[in-house]
Amino acid sequence: MKLIHLTDIHLTAAGSTIGGRDPRINFERALADILKHHHDAELLVITGDLTDCGDRADYDWLKARLDRFPIPARLCIGNHDRRATFLSVFPDYTGPGGFAQGTHDTAAGRCLFLDTAEPDTHAGRYCEPRQAWLEARLREHPGPFLLFMHHNPMPTHIASTDDIMLLDDVAFRRIVGRHRDKIRHIFFGHCHIPLAGSVSGVPVSSLRGTNHASYPDFTETDVTSAADLPEAYGVVFLGDDYVTVHMVEFGYAGPIRNEDSPDYRAPALDIAGR
């Protein structure tokens, strides 16, 4: 099975830019690249920060665009989103307690879409009602599961990023640990940098967004650092006993060379091992 992971698309009004980049244009470029190279994907998931300001017009535009897209799409919300506004446009995502959580079955397992947003803060929360929902979903089905969420569920050790990470991370990781044998992978966004690791023994990964990028500056303690790195999306291959995750930098505009290119200089292979 193949699925596509996008995150932090940060839609704005037509013509508006963030960091000199137009989020709508870059989102369209990502979709076009996906259709060109990965039209056989079973599912596309966007893990939050669907808009930059939570404006209804952005959600209306996104819904109309995804309704025309041939690959089924599922969404999570992030700290830049507004839950009530999102649910007014995407009412099918309304879960118990009014949170935007849900499930979707695929050939590789049951996907769970988590709501880690909290009003009036960029940090993430996963309160007791949301924890109870996750625990119940993991108990009621034999799995395997794929989890999708916005906020990073473990420290990045970048101070400014970890100030706004999932603040209920320990409780979340305890739930994951109780069900680790059922969970194949956890996908998240929020950080705008490629990340990989594990949470209670379960592999996790994240990537750059489709518009602006951050940079892992471990010396900066107050604000996140940005860089003019290529926009990206993820391509995930899931077999019976493996998960492979790629970050495709569709925003890269330079040449792509292969070994037959005249200027390609691969190191000579010393068969004798010298």
Side-chain angles (χ1 to χ4, degrees):
M1 177 201 162
K2 180 193 289 187
L3 69 82
I4 305 297
H5 177 202
L6 282 77
T7 194
D8 295 273
I9 63 177
H10 283 267
L11 295 177
T12 57
S16 297
T17 61
I18 301 173
R21 300 179 180 186
D22 188 317
R24 286 201 189 189
I25 289 177
N26 283 320
F27 181 62
E28 289 280 16
R29 291 174 62 221
L31 295 183
D33 199 77
I34 290 163
L35 278 188
K36 180 179 179 180
H37 298 289
H38 305 289
H39 59 275
D40 57 337
E42 181 177 330
L43 183 67
L44 180 151
V45 181
I46 310 175
T47 51
D49 280 359
L50 308 173
T51 81
D52 197 53
C53 298
D55 293 337
R56 182 185 175 95
D58 295 328
Y59 294 123
D60 286 334
W61 184 91
L62 178 62
K63 184 176 190 306
R65 186 64 188 88
L66 293 177
D67 284 347
R68 302 194 310 272
F69 196 63
I71 301 174
R74 294 290 294 177
L75 310 173
C76 300
I77 61 171
N79 49 293
H80 280 258
D81 293 302
R82 295 179 182 175
R83 184 182 293 114
T85 308
F86 168 78
L87 292 175
S88 71
V89 178
F90 295 94
D92 292 346
Y93 286 81
T94 306
F99 295 109
Q101 303 197 120
T103 67
H104 180 87
D105 289 328
T106 70
R110 174 163 289 185
C111 299
L112 300 182
F113 307 99
L114 313 186
D115 179 343
T116 61
E118 184 75 3
D120 304 319
T121 179
H122 287 299
R125 301 296 315 199
Y126 209 64
C127 58
E128 290 186 3
R130 283 177 274 191
Q131 293 174 31
W133 180 90
L134 176 59
E135 184 83 51
R137 301 293 77 73
L138 293 170
R139 288 186 181 280
E140 71 187 6
H141 191 272
F145 291 93
L146 303 171
L147 272 56
F148 296 86
M149 60 197 297
H150 182 67
H151 290 83
N152 47 307
M154 78 295 191
T156 65
H157 295 273
I158 302 169
S160 57
T161 300
D162 290 341
D163 284 344
I164 56 171
M165 67 177 285
L166 184 71
L167 300 183
D168 306 283
D169 60 316
V170 174
F172 176 81
R173 291 197 296 269
R174 286 174 180 160
I175 296 172
V176 169
R178 287 195 288 271
H179 301 277
R180 71 181 67 183
D181 292 340
K182 294 182 177 182
I183 305 172
R184 300 192 68 184
H185 203 88
I186 301 173
F187 302 88
F188 65 95
H190 188 50
C191 303
H192 292 244
I193 55 177
L195 285 165
S198 65
V199 165
S200 298
V202 176
V204 302
S205 64
S206 188
L207 68 161
R208 257 180 249 137
T210 58
N211 195 64
H212 46 295
S214 295
Y215 189 85
D217 184 349
F218 296 94
T219 64
E220 176 58 63
T221 59
D222 295 326
V223 295
T224 56
S225 299
D228 290 326
L229 296 166
E231 304 88 346
Y233 65 83
V235 180
V236 183
F237 297 88
L238 301 109
D240 291 338
D241 58 354
Y242 70 87
V243 177
T244 302
V245 181
H246 292 270
M247 186 178 76
V248 177
E249 296 177 303
F250 72 93
Y252 172 67
I256 299 175
R257 303 178 181 88
N258 58 39
E259 291 184 359
D260 296 327
S261 301
D263 59 346
Y264 186 87
R265 294 291 181 267
L269 176 64
D270 186 345
I271 296 176
R274 294 187 296 272

